[in-house]
Amino acid sequence: MLKKLLFAMLLCTFLQVQAQENLNFNNNKEITSPEINSDKSITFRLMAPGAKKVELQGDMLGHNNPVPMNKQDDGLWTYTTPPVKPELYSYSFIVDGLKIRDANNVYQIRDVASVVNVVIVPDGKAENYLVKDVPHGTVSKRWYKSPGNEKNRRISIYTPPGYEEGKNKYPVLYLLHGMGGDEEAWLALGRTAQILDNLIAQGKAKPMIVVMPNGNVAQGAAPGEDSKGMYKPTMQLPHTMDGKMEETFMDILKFIEVSYRVNANQANRAIAGLSMGGFHSLHISRFYPKTFDYVGLFSPAIMPFSKTTSPVYENFDVTLKKQFSNGLKLYWIGIGKTDFLYKSVADYRKKLDEYGVKYTYSESEGGHTWSNWRDYLVTFSQQLFK
């Protein structure tokens, strides 16, 4: 009997070991990638024993893209960056010419038609992007009727901490994305909810509602989220910058002011956007006078309007001067020194200077990047509704 009991125990132990080996995929060591080191360098790892060449591509590398990774004897490819600044970085691997994602990093973001991995190096300004132990707002995806576009459309809305439990009315920031983006861009790449949660908790920003619409009026919603199905996203869609977005913007404003507890007046409305969204913000705020007290142009795509007949772009100089006579509290412009739109923004500023109007200008390092646009949101949102 004792021998049978010992045999059963040994068999059970053997089966447990075998099962554990299966769970560990034949005892292969677990790979950590990316790994943020104490000096704020980042180590990337990829197991690809059959690959002949593996490269790392990422915005933490600056202009040194891509860089070769080093192959170890066991087939593990590695690369450690120099120390980098605190920031949210995106990256991909290139294996024998094929761009792939990091299988050991579940954190991914879609940027137009590309999906990239992301990593946040903490401290400094990146603390704004982290989820902290503070009161949190709510992000909802709502559908609204847009008579001007003859369809139902989806919109992302951030409500500040305490909105659902309270009765207070709030100011509203309308935050617009760039070309190729949609109603998900500012939440995913812009970290809007985390930024607002943290700034509000610190008392640096007023509690506000942030409305993030889809600026592509040809879409009902982000790719894969409406009846058109799972098609491949593209950069430019019909009616992208021809006045249709501006003409139908009041469908959005009316939906918000009927559906949410807001202070529905000029002093409690702000509008801002990046690139194409900066173009839209410029013209929406000008086309609808006495609607917004705060306007933010983040790397705005300021373009000529000669190829469109939209009434939005008529009498530009006259209506622009009139806008500044309507009691604007803040007209904020931000651009990177190496942004490809730098000259057009400089020309626009020259026009404003000739008019003798007051605006706030911020010039940053870098180019047409989310790193800059997140910075601009942090700065701009702290100046609203004071």
Side-chain angles (χ1 to χ4, degrees), residues 109-124:
I109 291 178
R110 177 180 64 83
D111 187 4
V112 192
S114 299
V115 177
V116 293
N117 288 106
V118 293
V119 57
I120 298 178
V121 178
D123 296 332

Side-chain angles (χ1 to χ4, degrees), residues 51-73:
K52 296 179 180 178
K53 182 180 180 181
V54 177
E55 298 171 293
L56 170 69
Q57 184 179 59
D59 48 16
M60 77 290 295
L61 301 171
H63 296 295
N64 301 318
N65 268 308
V67 294
M69 299 180 69
N70 302 309
K71 187 177 185 180
Q72 300 178 356
D73 292 340

